[in-house]
Amino acid sequence: MTVALVLISLFILISLLGKSPSLPASVASERILPDFAGPGSTIPVQIRMTQREKSEGIILREYFPKGWKIVQANPPTSSLDNVNGVARWIIKAGTDRDRVVYLVQVDPAAKVNSEVGFQGEIVASRKGNQSAVPVLGESTIAVAPVHWVDANGDKRIDDGEMLEGSFTIEDMAGVHIDWDDLEELWDAGRYAWDAQKHKFLPQPGSP
């Protein structure tokens, strides 16, 4: 009996020693979302990535609300399911990339004054091992008749918000955001949401 216990103990010890130690995640990531999304409008999403150690490549998997559609992405998605709200990017080793950006169109039937969520994960391969870590940062957004640049939701795009919007557009290199439309709303002072056209319209002269 004692011999059997010794043999079992030795077997467990050898098994534990033979296992490769888990590796820390080689990539950290953070999602950046605007505060608001109007039904039928298009909003920018950024995934910023920080390489902690060299990896053999990563897969970014992003889950966005069902009924919403990714219309542009940089780099282009490796796999896109706009029905179920899943996008994947394969980023190979040696690629000097610190972010993935995409434009997603909000479901025109999205319920106003509701909140929806985003989730994601990065799978990295290093030294023959894989590690999966969640995408951190912002994960919820309010559905409201408010432009994505309008951070305080007061139906005005002020100078500070316009400046921040310009920084976002620079960060979203590789996808097209119409600066002229945004400038028109800024110049007007106020804007309104056209629910039928799913478009923000300038309201010049409004108090």
Side-chain angles (χ1 to χ4, degrees):
M1 190 72 169
T2 304
V3 174
L5 288 173
V6 171
L7 290 174
I8 292 172
S9 299
L10 285 172
F11 177 77
I12 293 173
L13 180 60
I14 292 170
S15 298
L16 290 173
L17 290 174
K19 289 184 178 179
S20 300
S22 59
L23 292 171
S26 58
V27 181
S29 58
E30 176 189 21
R31 183 186 301 102
I32 299 174
L33 295 171
D35 293 311
F36 301 103
S41 68
T42 301
I43 63 165
V45 181
Q46 298 180 56
I47 309 292
R48 295 183 178 177
M49 300 178 294
T50 303
Q51 295 277 347
R52 289 174 171 165
E53 293 187 29
K54 289 184 178 179
S55 70
E56 297 164 6
I58 65 172
I59 294 175
L60 167 63
R61 185 179 290 109
E62 183 81 334
Y63 301 93
F64 53 95
K66 288 186 178 181
W68 297 33
K69 296 180 179 179
I70 291 180
V71 292
Q72 293 183 56
N74 185 34
T77 57
S78 303
S79 170
L80 176 60
D81 182 351
N82 267 333
V83 175
N84 295 304
V86 184
R88 299 178 180 85
W89 288 264
I90 296 174
I91 301 175
K92 296 181 179 179
T95 302
D96 185 19
R97 178 168 293 280
D98 63 358
R99 75 188 62 209
V100 168
V101 301
Y102 62 91
L103 296 178
V104 60
Q105 184 179 38
V106 182
D107 184 352
K111 185 178 179 181
V112 173
N113 298 324
S114 65
E115 281 195 346
V116 295
F118 288 70
Q119 292 183 332
E121 63 179 355
I122 284 184
V123 178
S125 178
R126 184 163 60 91
K127 298 179 181 178
N129 292 319
Q130 289 186 347
S131 60
V133 292
V135 175
L136 303 178
E138 296 158 342
S139 60
T140 60
I141 188 169
V143 178
V146 177
H147 196 282
W148 65 265
V149 172
D150 186 5
N152 61 9
D154 66 354
K155 305 297 178 66
R156 299 174 183 267
I157 297 177
D158 61 35
D159 293 348
E161 290 167 337
M162 191 65 174
L163 183 60
E164 288 298 320
S166 70
F167 294 151
T168 297
I169 291 174
E170 287 180 6
D171 290 339
M172 297 289 295
V175 300
H176 177 68
I177 298 175
D178 196 321
W179 174 261
D180 291 337
D181 282 354
L182 185 55
E183 191 173 26
E184 191 176 3
L185 299 180
W186 179 37
D187 289 340
R190 291 190 67 88
Y191 66 86
W193 173 247
D194 188 319
Q196 291 185 336
K197 295 180 179 179
H198 303 299
K199 184 177 176 65
F200 294 102
L201 301 177
Q203 301 291 299
S206 298

